[in-house]
Amino acid sequence: MTEVNEAPHSGDGPPRPGGWTRFVTARPRLSLLVALVLTALAVVAGSGVADHLGSGGWEDPAAQSTYATKALEREFPGSQPNLLLLVGSGHASVDDPAVAAQARELTERLAGEQGVTGVGSYWQTKSPSLRAKDGHEALIAARITGDENAMGKTLDRIAPLYRGAHGPVQVKIGGIVAVRHEMQTIIKEDLTRAEMIALPITLVLLVMVFGSAIAALLPLGVGIVAILGTNAVLRGLTVFTDVSVFALNLTTALGLGLAIDYALFIVRRYREELSTGADPRTAIGTTLRTAGRTVLFSALTVAVSLAAMMVFPQYFLRSFAYAGIAVVLLAAAAALVLLPAALILLGHRVNSLDLRRLFRRGQTPSGAEGTGWARAASLVMRRAPLFALGTTALLVLLGLPFLGVKFGTADDRQLPSGAESHVVQQHLRDGFPGSPGGGLEILAEGRATGAQYADYQRRVAALPEVVRVDGPLVKGDSAYFTVQPRGEAVDDAAQRLVGDLRFLKAPFDTKVTGTAAVLVDSKHAIGERLPWAGAFIAIVTLLLVFLLTGSVVIPLQAVVLNALSLTAMFGAVVWVFQDGHLSGALGFTSPGSIETTLPVLMFCVAFGLSMDYGVFLLSRIKEEYERTGDHNEAVRHGLQRTGGLITAAAVILAVVMVAIGTSRVTNTKMLGLGIALAVLMDAMVVRSLLVPAIMRLTGRVTWWAPAPLRRFHQRFGLSEGEPAAPAEVKETAGV
């Protein structure tokens, strides 16, 4: 067999990666054995990773509300209850002597539990806020101490002891710690179910795309390696930092989706080269020089989009950056190292077990491959203004609902309506006075007199959005007040009240926390850093696409069209999940808002995936343009060669995301279904219609770059395929 040598190159540009080809194919059996050993180690290292992940991370750790919350937890644990026991008395009153005696006994038992502090109840305080309006339910409140994992273990230990019937009362478990623990449990269960749904469907789709069962198994293997490796990485990160359990969903989705994308591209190109008569090693050399380079660029662009989430302080977003970058790099590494080794060993057997011949007669002529996409490209380019304006108008129209977005916080309504902690919180919303969970706490630090505290309390109570002020409870030089706002916990009025309280002058230092305060601080943190994240994504993406194409126009087109492809996703998120349309069909409870961090997460993930497909298409167009110098033919040929592949990859990734979207947790459902929609819109509308139309309208200008940048690209850029130097570059007048 022919050894792949360094491919020729011109000028001072980098050499073709023949050395890389020799490296990954010289010892294919050894490469696969090492990969098998590393994968086995990853299975061991990543086992039980979900048990070490957190279910919070939406707050800014440097915010005023976070500081106040931690200080109140430390100094006044009773002010921050995270465990609620909803005690129902049936048809009797909660003040019935038998009910009251049983409730006091439960309160005393709970106060004696290890890891539980700040226990109080209606039967101790007679506070009307702890008693239902109908008099048949009341609350026992407490705080479970420790980090998220410790709180989960304590809850697992004590919940069975208190849940259920106790003499004349029935007890249900709720509170923030119960909501988060139940959410974590459901996510783990749903993730296993999603994998069981996605894997067999993905395998069937891959067989339909490749025909060969052998070829279809290769992308699936690459995806599994990427997922297992990322689980090990996340487990290692939990030793040093907090990681969100939601990141596991992204690991599965991107691990399967991107690994399949990359493997599809490489296996498809390898089979093309074999069909021209090349031997396996030569075919691998050409594949890595072309498709391999595209995969590398694609992985970098996706990683850049995900890395932008590192600028935000919330560990919920940072966790997705950790998981996403790890799975992207591992998927690319497996596709560029393990897959070539497997292809070398398989050789022409990669086409074995063609299952499609069982369902068709004869073979499709190789020359007819992609003719439908070629005709579609020709039609779009002949009517380029119509398709460009029509597609843009459609995408803008689909995105209009996002103009009415309302931001909120994740709460119990993320859970199924039958989840115990959701039931408890709904009882509080419907049956208890005030706005349960919506109170604001004011931490007062500094020595003060009783008169000063009383004067401050009067001025707080005089604010128009305040219903009631309780306190102060004083301990040393610290005190706290509880403020009950009018209306909902995080509505506009409650958020305005946070600002009013923070600007209210006092003879001591004050800091405000509570649900609305956390939301205000989270929105501020995201808004402050969002321009930096956007600039980072845009600048690095522009640079990477320039290095790939040598054009300054194509990178600008890529960034703008990619952003435009996401409008349908954002519009659908608001119309469905905020406004509640299809909530019955999809099985979720709409809270009337979108969790603040979700749009940022969805943008970064969907933008990266859109660039993934954009790089696939542009690389093939660039390869043909370098070969022929014919702009219109290059666009037509690029869509012909990659249209079916991109669509197949998008459908497979959408299947994975929809499987994730079957989750019973609303945020996960929103993430999965929203990104599935974005991927399909990008592949079937933007790449198929808008990109060829815009490139036809820009014509030869598409490839323009000023002379200094052309020289920079010649020295440092990468080109797809073998370089060509046509005597004269021409532009066709038609298609």
Side-chain angles (χ1 to χ4, degrees):
M1 292 187 179
T2 305
E3 175 66 27
V4 179
N5 297 314
E6 297 291 343
H9 64 286
S10 57
D12 298 325
R16 302 293 186 188
W20 173 26
T21 305
R22 288 194 297 270
F23 170 75
V24 300
T25 60
R27 299 287 186 274
R29 288 183 177 82
L30 179 61
S31 298
L32 292 178
L33 178 61
V34 171
L36 183 62
V37 172
L38 291 177
T39 302
L41 292 175
V43 171
V44 175
S47 62
V49 61
D51 296 330
H52 299 272
L53 303 180
S55 53
W58 291 284
E59 65 280 350
D60 175 6
Q64 178 184 134
S65 57
T66 305
Y67 172 86
T69 297
K70 291 181 177 179
L72 289 172
E73 289 174 1
R74 183 177 60 252
E75 301 295 334
F76 306 97
S79 69
Q80 297 282 300
N82 56 17
L83 175 67
L84 298 176
L85 271 58
L86 180 66
V87 181
S89 57
H91 296 294
S93 167
V94 293
D95 295 311
D96 181 89
V99 171
Q102 183 63 61
R104 289 192 196 95
E105 193 272 332
L106 289 172
T107 304
E108 293 170 2
R109 279 175 51 196
L110 185 62
E113 297 284 357
Q114 185 178 0
V116 178
T117 186
V119 179
S121 72
Y122 163 74
W123 295 272
Q124 291 176 322
T125 65
K126 296 298 180 179
S127 170
S129 63
L130 298 178
R131 182 180 185 270
K133 288 178 283 189
D134 65 5
H136 297 306
E137 290 178 327
L139 293 174
I140 300 173
R143 179 163 193 85
I144 298 180
T145 59
D147 59 21
E148 287 189 23
N149 290 328
M151 287 190 290
K153 291 177 181 178
T154 301
L155 183 65
D156 283 336
R157 175 172 53 83
I158 67 175
L161 304 177
Y162 294 88
R163 178 186 291 118
H166 295 269
V169 302
Q170 284 279 343
V171 177
K172 293 185 176 69
I173 308 295
I176 295 174
V177 68
V179 169
R180 291 187 173 181
H181 189 60
E182 199 161 5
M183 191 179 298
Q184 188 176 35
T185 301
I186 290 176
I187 286 174
K188 288 190 288 185
E189 295 171 355
D190 290 348
L191 185 59
T192 301
R193 189 183 69 251
E195 291 170 346
M196 298 300 292
I197 294 172
L199 286 173
I201 296 176
T202 297
L203 181 58
V204 170
L205 291 174
L206 286 170
V207 170
M208 293 173 63
V209 172
F210 282 124
S212 163
I214 299 298
L217 287 170
L218 293 175
L220 210 56
V222 171
I224 292 171
V225 168
I227 291 171
L228 294 175
T230 303
N231 286 344
V233 171
L234 291 180
R235 177 65 184 91
L237 286 172
T238 60
V239 177
F240 306 101
T241 187
D242 292 320
V243 181
S244 172
V245 69
F246 286 93
L248 285 180
N249 296 292
L250 187 68
T251 296
T252 296
L254 291 187
L256 281 176
L258 288 179
I260 288 170
D261 284 359
Y262 299 157
L264 271 173
F265 206 59
I266 287 175
V267 173
R268 176 72 170 270
R269 188 57 182 258
Y270 174 72
R271 295 174 79 189
E272 281 184 25
E273 296 302 322
L274 288 181
S275 69
T276 65
D279 65 82
R281 287 186 182 272
T282 303
I284 280 293
T286 304
T287 298
L288 292 180
R289 217 163 36 240
T290 54
R293 198 169 287 167
T294 301
V295 165
L296 181 60
F297 263 81
S298 172
L300 289 175
T301 56
V302 177
V304 164
S305 294
L306 297 172
M309 288 185 283
M310 293 290 289
V311 308
F312 298 100
Q314 294 93 337
Y315 87 73
F316 174 80
L317 287 175
R318 297 172 72 90
S319 298
F320 283 93
Y322 305 147
I325 293 171
V327 78
V328 168
L329 296 181
L330 286 169
L336 296 175
V337 178
L338 303 183
L339 188 56
L343 291 173
I344 283 289
L345 293 176
L346 286 172
H348 290 277
R349 292 191 300 274
V350 72
N351 296 316
S352 300
L353 298 178
D354 187 354
L355 302 180
R356 289 188 302 191
R357 64 186 176 184
L358 300 175
F359 307 100
R360 69 187 182 196
R361 295 179 180 178
Q363 298 289 332
T364 301
S366 59
E369 181 182 3
T371 53
W373 287 102
R375 287 194 298 269
S378 298
L379 173 63
V380 169
M381 295 172 73
R382 281 197 302 270
R383 302 287 187 269
L386 177 63
F387 278 98
L389 290 175
T391 304
T392 301
L394 173 65
L395 293 172
V396 171
L397 180 65
L398 292 174
L400 287 180
F402 192 71
L403 296 177
V405 66
K406 298 176 183 178
F407 294 109
T409 58
D411 59 21
D412 60 283
R413 286 169 287 190
Q414 295 287 317
L415 295 170
S417 58
E420 182 182 28
S421 56
H422 185 171
V423 170
V424 171
Q425 297 302 122
Q426 195 61 47
H427 274 248
L428 267 62
R429 270 188 291 270
D430 296 338
F432 282 69
S435 177
L440 297 172
E441 289 85 29
I442 302 174
L443 172 68
E445 295 181 308
R447 192 173 297 277
T449 65
Q452 288 174 319
Y453 284 136
D455 177 66
Y456 179 74
Q457 182 186 31
R458 283 193 298 270
R459 288 189 290 124
V460 171
L463 293 174
E465 301 298 338
V466 173
V467 175
R468 187 180 72 251
V469 182
D470 295 323
L473 183 62
V474 181
K475 182 179 179 181
D477 291 340
S478 298
Y480 86 90
F481 301 82
T482 300
V483 180
Q484 187 65 50
R486 301 182 191 277
E488 292 294 325
V490 292
D491 62 11
D492 292 340
Q495 295 179 56
R496 287 195 301 271
L497 178 58
V498 172
D500 293 341
L501 291 173
R502 287 175 173 174
F503 281 105
L504 190 65
K505 293 186 180 298
F508 34 74
D509 291 332
T510 61
K511 292 180 174 60
V512 182
T513 187
T515 308
V518 171
L519 174 59
V520 168
D521 291 337
S522 180
K523 288 167 63 176
H524 174 74
I526 289 175
E528 188 178 53
R529 293 164 176 82
L530 194 59
W532 294 102
F536 174 76
I537 291 174
I539 291 171
V540 179
T541 300
L542 289 171
L543 176 61
L544 288 173
V545 178
F546 169 75
L547 290 174
L548 179 66
T549 64
S551 162
V552 296
V553 177
I554 291 178
L556 292 172
Q557 288 180 351
V559 170
V560 172
L561 297 185
N562 272 26
L564 191 60
S565 73
L566 308 183
T567 55
M569 174 185 72
F570 285 123
V573 159
V574 171
W575 190 79
V576 175
F577 290 96
Q578 174 182 295
D579 298 340
H581 298 101
L582 304 180
S583 59
L586 296 177
F588 69 92
T589 301
S590 172
S593 62
I594 302 297
E595 203 283 317
T596 314
T597 59
L598 256 294
V600 176
L601 168 63
M602 296 177 75
F603 175 84
C604 292
V605 174
F607 187 91
L609 293 174
S610 297
M611 279 305 305
D612 183 43
Y613 299 134
V615 167
F616 285 174
L617 176 59
L618 290 173
S619 64
R620 204 59 186 260
I621 292 174
K622 178 64 161 51
E623 178 182 352
E624 184 67 11
Y625 184 70
E626 285 186 335
R627 190 179 69 84
T628 66
D630 186 331
H631 171 72
N632 290 339
E633 176 59 24
V635 175
R636 188 196 66 79
H637 179 84
L639 195 59
Q640 176 185 0
R641 284 297 188 180
T642 64
L645 186 65
I646 289 174
T647 301
V651 169
I652 291 171
L653 180 56
V655 165
V656 177
M657 296 307 306
V658 168
I660 297 295
T662 62
S663 174
R664 293 165 290 169
V665 176
T666 304
N667 272 356
T668 305
K669 188 185 297 290
M670 187 190 311
L671 177 68
L673 298 182
I675 292 179
L677 176 62
V679 165
L680 293 175
M681 291 294 294
D682 182 76
M684 297 181 178
V685 177
V686 175
R687 302 299 151 204
S688 302
L689 303 177
L690 192 54
V691 169
I694 294 296
M695 294 189 79
R696 176 66 182 89
L697 291 174
T698 54
R700 282 278 302 278
V701 175
T702 303
W703 305 100
W704 179 82
L709 289 180
R710 284 201 304 271
R711 290 192 292 270
F712 179 88
H713 181 264
Q714 289 170 359
R715 183 173 182 82
F716 299 106
L718 292 177
S719 59
E720 188 73 13
E722 299 297 335
E728 181 180 359
V729 175
K730 58 183 175 66
E731 179 186 14
T732 57
V735 193

